[in-house]
Amino acid sequence: RCCVGEDGNEISPAVAASEQPVLLDRKDERGASECGDAPPFFAPVQKASSKPVDKEEAQRRVLNYIKQAARGVPVTVLRRHNEEVERIPGSLVVKKDYETIVVETPGSSKKTTSFKVGNITDVYNVDSDGLQAFSQTVVASLAADEHERLLRVDFTNEGVRQRLAIAQGKEGEVHTLYMVKESAESRDACMEAMKVLSTQMRQKKSAAG
């Protein structure tokens, strides 16, 4: 991580504007069968996994998480200031369009962090990626039992911020958000929900031409 942006999130080295998100290419997918009460966008794609997964249970878990996130699910946001890490209670909300995620932190100077699910470039956890995928300053601030609940979400600018970044010659900057979830199960459901929503949004854009 090279620096911290004005929005309080860390900024990674710039990536080419044409680079495709690698979120779904790098990690195993946990696919699922159709579910009658699923939102219309819900059509997860299955990839081979070394671990047997109950497909219906996997889908149910992700669907329930998305429904809960529409009302807001608790998270602890980790915001780095030089060599110190601020822990901020907040909530993660999936907006009604199922295309936008907002992380609300009313108790901090920066009240919200928002990004389009289609702009997520990757999601990391300690089980799959190891502690080396995370800022060592952030890792050092955690208790050992928090490692399995840690998430790192990388995303690019969008909307007004994207236009501003282009004007400033910063197009393609990747912002990093660190969060601690309530449990490892909640962490997994959050990751899989982001994968599903991100895939659906990109497929929707592709179909629209």
Side-chain angles (χ1 to χ4, degrees):
R1 295 291 169 264
C2 65
C3 52
V4 177
E6 294 179 358
D7 61 359
N9 296 312
E10 296 190 22
I11 299 175
S12 303
V15 296
S18 61
E19 184 176 337
Q20 295 297 315
V22 297
L23 172 67
L24 298 174
D25 296 331
R26 185 173 58 83
K27 299 202 172 49
D28 289 339
E29 287 280 9
R30 294 181 181 181
S33 58
E34 295 184 359
C35 179
D37 60 349
F41 61 80
F42 196 88
V45 179
Q46 184 175 7
K47 293 174 66 177
S49 173
S50 58
K51 296 181 180 180
V53 177
D54 184 318
K55 295 180 181 180
E56 292 185 359
E57 176 59 31
Q59 177 164 349
R60 191 158 41 245
R61 181 176 63 226
V62 176
L63 177 60
N64 287 339
Y65 186 87
I66 292 173
K67 287 181 176 179
Q68 293 169 12
R71 300 187 297 270
V73 292
V75 297
T76 299
V77 175
L78 305 175
R79 193 164 291 155
R80 196 177 75 172
H81 304 281
N82 296 321
E83 296 306 310
E84 295 186 357
V85 176
E86 181 183 9
R87 300 173 64 96
I88 311 166
S91 62
L92 183 149
V93 180
V94 175
K95 305 303 284 185
K96 291 181 180 179
D97 59 4
Y98 298 110
E99 296 182 356
T100 306
I101 290 176
V102 178
V103 179
E104 300 174 343
T105 49
S108 70
S109 57
K110 177 175 170 53
K111 305 300 182 185
T112 62
T113 296
S114 64
F115 50 90
K116 294 289 188 182
V117 294
N119 287 350
I120 297 173
T121 59
D122 220 330
V123 183
Y124 299 81
N125 70 71
V126 173
D127 288 351
S128 299
D129 306 292
L131 291 173
Q132 66 272 15
F134 297 84
S135 159
Q136 294 307 299
T137 301
V138 169
V139 172
S141 73
L142 300 175
D145 63 355
E146 292 180 308
H147 291 172
E148 68 175 7
R149 297 185 278 130
L150 179 62
L151 270 181
R152 167 185 149 189
V153 182
D154 287 358
F155 60 94
T156 57
N157 289 311
E158 53 88 17
V160 174
R161 289 182 180 177
Q162 184 179 41
R163 292 193 292 273
L164 180 61
I166 292 173
Q168 295 176 342
K170 299 178 180 179
E171 182 180 11
E173 282 185 343
V174 177
H175 297 259
T176 296
L177 175 68
Y178 293 106
M179 300 182 294
V180 174
K181 298 291 293 175
E182 289 187 304
S183 65
E185 291 76 15
S186 176
R187 177 208 67 185
D188 289 344
C190 183
M191 287 187 66
E192 293 179 17
M194 288 185 181
K195 290 178 183 180
V196 169
L197 295 173
S198 179
T199 298
Q200 296 305 310
M201 184 173 180
R202 293 204 301 273
Q203 289 178 347
K204 181 179 177 181
K205 285 186 175 181
S206 177

